[in-house]
Amino acid sequence: MPATVSGRIKSVPGERRDRQVHTGASATSGMDIARSLRAEASRANERRLLVLAGDPDRTRERAAAALDAAAVPSAETTVVGPKPFLACEHHEQSRAEELLGRTRTAVILDAHEELRPDAVGRTVGAVDGGGLYVLLAPPLETWPEERDGFDASLAVPPFDVGDVSGHFRRRFVETLRAHRGIAIVDADTGTVEQDGLTDPPPSRPVSSPTAPTDAWFRSETYAQCLTDDQRDAVQAFESLRDDGAAVVVEADRGRGKSSAAGLAAGNLAIGGRDVLVTAPQYRSAAEVFARAGHLLETLGVEFARDRASNPQQLDVAGAGCVRYAPPDEAASLPDGPDVVIVDEAAALPVRRLEQFLDAPAVAFTTTVHGYEGAGRGFSVRFRDRLAESDHAVADVTMTTPIRYGDADPVEVWAFRALLLDARPPVDQLITDATPETVEYRRLSAADLLADEHLLREVFGLLVLAHYRTEPSDLARLLDAPNLAVRALTHEGHVVAVALLAQEGGLSADTRATMYEGRRVRGNMLPDVLSTQLRDEAAGIPVGQRVLRIATHAAVRSRGLGSELLSEIRTEFAEQVDWLGVSYGATPELVRFWADNGYNTVHLATSRNATSGEYSVVMLNPCSDDGVALAARHGEWFQDRIAAVLSDPLDDCDPDVVRAVLRATDGERPVSLSEWEWRLVAGVPGGASVLDTNPKPFRQLTRQHLSDPADATALSPREERLLVRKVLQAHPWSAVAEELAFVSKRECMRTLGGIVERLTRLYGDPWVQEELDRHQ
C-alpha cells in the first residue's frame, strides 16, 4: 500500500493547522469565500489560494462564479488546463511557461486531467498581490489514488501506469490542508473545509526608494525602481560601464531582478554600449527587453525595435543596442559585445557560464528558489570559477517581493509543496564526514515521506547535481516506479546521494519499436545503443543508470562519491547486467567515472545546445550479458572514433578526447599493413608526410591514447597535438597557435618526434629498422 503522509507534515511558522469546516453550507458560501479571500488579499497586498474539489464540470462552474463574485476581470484572468471554459486567456499545462515574467489577477489551474508540478511552479508566481490562485481538482480524499496524464508519463517500459504511486499528490494535498491562506471548498456539496482567511494587518504603504546621489544612470531610471533592493541592483549594474566588471544578482522570483537588468541595459545602450542578453529561452529574458524599451520611451530616446512584439533587439539611434542570442550562440560573443547579461543563469551549466567570462563586462541574474530549482547550484558550483577570474565582482541579493507582500502565504505554500527552497544540510553538521563514518542507505519513497528533513536534504543535493532541476523531478523521485534513491549519511544527514533509473529488460516488440527509430521513454541507454548504434539486442540486458549523483560541497574530494558508487555496485551486482551513465563530458568527470569502473562506449556527435558539451555514455558491466554488451560497444567505439573526430567531433576539447579514449576497455592492438608501417616510419626523418594517408597515424594515436604501452611516453601537450592534428585534422597553423608553438615548423618537428616514439613503442623490430634508415 502507498505510504501515507497524514500527520507527518510538521507545523512551521506561517502554517494553519486549524481547519474551519462549515457543513450544510449553501451553494453560495464558496462564492462568499472567494469574495472574502480577494478582499483580504487586496487589503494585505498578498495572494490567496482557493481549492475547488469535486466533479470537473461543477468545479469549473464554481470557478466562474467565484471570480465573478470576487470581481476579477476576465482580461486579467488565465485558465491553465485542458478546456477554455472561461472567456479569458487559456493555455494547456504544457504551455504554462507562457506566464513566466507576467502578472495576472487570477490564475486557474485545472488539474482534473493531470497535475504537472512544473505547471504549478510556473503559474503560481504570475498571480499579483491582491489576486487569487484557483486550483480545480478531484475530491481531495481520493485524488492521490487516481492516475492522470502526468502519472502516465512516469510509467516507462517495462512498467505501466498501475505501478506509479500517488505519494507526490498525497503530500501535495497535505500541504494544502496545512498552510494558511488556502480555502478548500467541496464543489459538489458546497461544504467549506477551510475558509483560508488569516485576518492579516493591512499592508503598509510602500515608499519609493531614494535615488543614489552618485548615480551614473539617468535619474528617471531610479524613479522606476519599486524597492530599495531593486535600486541597489540597478546601481550595481553601473559598474558594467568598465571592462573587467562582473555583477551577480540573486533573488527569489517576483523580486524584480530582470526588470533591474532591463533598466541597466537601456542605460548602457544610451551610453553607446553593445549589450548582449542571453537566457535559456527568449521568453526568460523578455522582461529585460520590456523594461529597457519602456525606459527608452520614458526618456524620449529615439530607438528602433526589430519587431513589433517580442523584440529581440533594440537599437538606440547614434549609440548602442540591446540584443538577444540563445546561449549556444551567445557563448561565442558574436560581434564583440561590450556587456553580456545572462538572465536566469542558474538554468545554465557551469561550463557554459564560464564561456561568458571572456566578455569585457558581464552580469548574471539568477533565481535562488525558483521553478528551475537550480539557484543553489549556481552559487556553489560557479561562484568559485567567477572568483578565480580577472573580473571585479559586485554581489547583490534581492529579498523584498514586488508583486505581493513579504508575508504572502501562497509563496510559503508553494515553496513547501514543491520544495523550491530545499537545501542540503548545513556545513557544520557534516564537516567530519569521511568514507569510514558514513552509512549507506536505500531510501524508499515511504522513507522520504516519513521524514521531511531527509526529503529536503536529498532533494536539495539532487538540485546541485544538475543545472536544471524542476518540481516534476520531485514527483518522479516520489512516484516513478523505475527510480531508486541511494545515499550516504553522516550522523543522520545526507552527504552524498544518487538517483538511479532501471533501464532495459524490454520486450521484443518494444525493442523492435526502438530499433525502428521510435522513442521509448525512460530507457535512454538502450535507446542510444539500439537506435543510433543499430544494436537491437541492447534492450535485453537490465541495467541501472545513474541519473544524478552529488556530494555535499563541504566534503568533496574525500572519496564519498566513489564510496557511494562502490556501495551501489555491491548492492546491484547480482541484480542487473550493467550500471551506466550519460553526461556532458568534461575531462574531470570522465576521469571520475573511469576511476570507478565505467568505460566509454559512445560519444555524441552533436553538442547539447544548452550545456555546450558532448555527451558520453559509459558502462560498468555486472554480468556476462553486461560484459558482452560493453565489449561489443567498446570495440565499435574504437573502430569509429577516429573517423568521427575528423568530422562532427573536430571541435571537441582535446582533453575530453584524451579522457574518453583512456576510459575505453579492451585491447585493440595496432594492425597496419607493411606499406602503412613504412609510411609511418618515414615521417620522423622527413621521407614521407602524414597527409599521404592519415589512417595509420590515427590508428597509432588511438592505440596509444586508449591503451598505452607506456603512459609516460608523451606529455599532455604532445597528446593534445596528436588529437588536434592527427585525429581532428586541424590546419598546422591553427594547431601551432592553439598549443603555443613558436612556429608551424616547430609544431611539425614535434609531431615527427612523437611519431618516432610511438613507432618504437608499437612497431615490430623490422619497423624500427626501417625507422633507423631515415634518421
Side-chain angles (χ1 to χ4, degrees), residues 30-35 37-38 48 50 52 59-79 85-89 105-109 127 130-136:
M31 307 314 100
D32 293 336
I33 283 181
R35 186 182 301 110
L37 286 173
R38 176 90 197 279
R48 294 294 182 267
L50 172 61
L52 297 172
T59 62
R60 291 162 188 154
E61 292 171 1
R62 292 294 178 93
L67 294 186
D68 282 344
V72 178
S74 60
E76 300 173 14
T77 302
T78 299
V79 171
F85 62 89
L86 292 179
C88 66
E89 180 183 34
T105 300
V107 172
I108 303 173
L109 183 68
V127 181
L132 297 178
Y133 189 66
V134 183
L135 175 66
L136 310 185

Side-chain angles (χ1 to χ4, degrees), residues 465-467 499 503 523-526 528-529 532 544-549 578-586 589-590 593 598-604 608 613-620:
H466 198 255
Y467 55 85
L499 184 62
E503 297 188 348
N523 282 266
M524 195 276 279
L525 261 61
V528 170
L529 301 183
Q532 296 185 32
Q544 288 283 345
R545 177 164 66 96
V546 183
L547 292 177
R548 300 181 189 178
I549 183 169
W578 53 264
L579 299 170
V581 67
S582 178
Y583 57 92
T586 66
L589 283 176
V590 174
W593 287 101
Y598 290 72
N599 299 311
T600 306
V601 296
H602 180 59
L603 185 62
N608 181 286
E613 298 164 349
Y614 290 105
S615 294
V616 63
V617 175
M618 304 180 78
L619 291 177
N620 184 345

Side-chain angles (χ1 to χ4, degrees), residues 316-348:
V316 179
C321 69
V322 183
R323 56 191 173 98
Y324 174 80
D328 55 333
E329 295 179 20
S332 64
L333 305 180
D335 300 322
D338 300 305
V339 178
V340 174
I341 296 177
V342 184
D343 202 25
E344 293 298 355
L348 299 179

Side-chain angles (χ1 to χ4, degrees), residues 239-246 273-274 276 333 335-340 355-363 390-392:
S239 67
L240 299 178
R241 294 174 295 151
D242 302 322
D243 289 354
R273 272 66 171 185
D274 177 358
L276 176 64
L333 305 180
D335 300 322
D338 300 305
V339 178
V340 174
Q355 294 177 280
F356 296 114
L357 296 178
D358 291 332
V362 61
D390 295 330
H391 290 77

Side-chain angles (χ1 to χ4, degrees), residues 322-394:
V322 183
R323 56 191 173 98
Y324 174 80
D328 55 333
E329 295 179 20
S332 64
L333 305 180
D335 300 322
D338 300 305
V339 178
V340 174
I341 296 177
V342 184
D343 202 25
E344 293 298 355
L348 299 179
V350 171
R351 191 170 179 84
R352 175 66 83 207
L353 294 172
E354 287 177 332
Q355 294 177 280
F356 296 114
L357 296 178
D358 291 332
V362 61
F364 303 93
T365 72
T366 187
T367 303
V368 180
H369 307 126
Y371 71 91
E372 74 283 337
R376 180 68 174 159
F378 171 87
S379 299
V380 172
R381 301 167 67 186
F382 177 63
R383 294 304 296 268
D384 287 345
R385 314 289 175 88
L386 181 58
E388 293 167 359
S389 74
D390 295 330
H391 290 77
V393 182

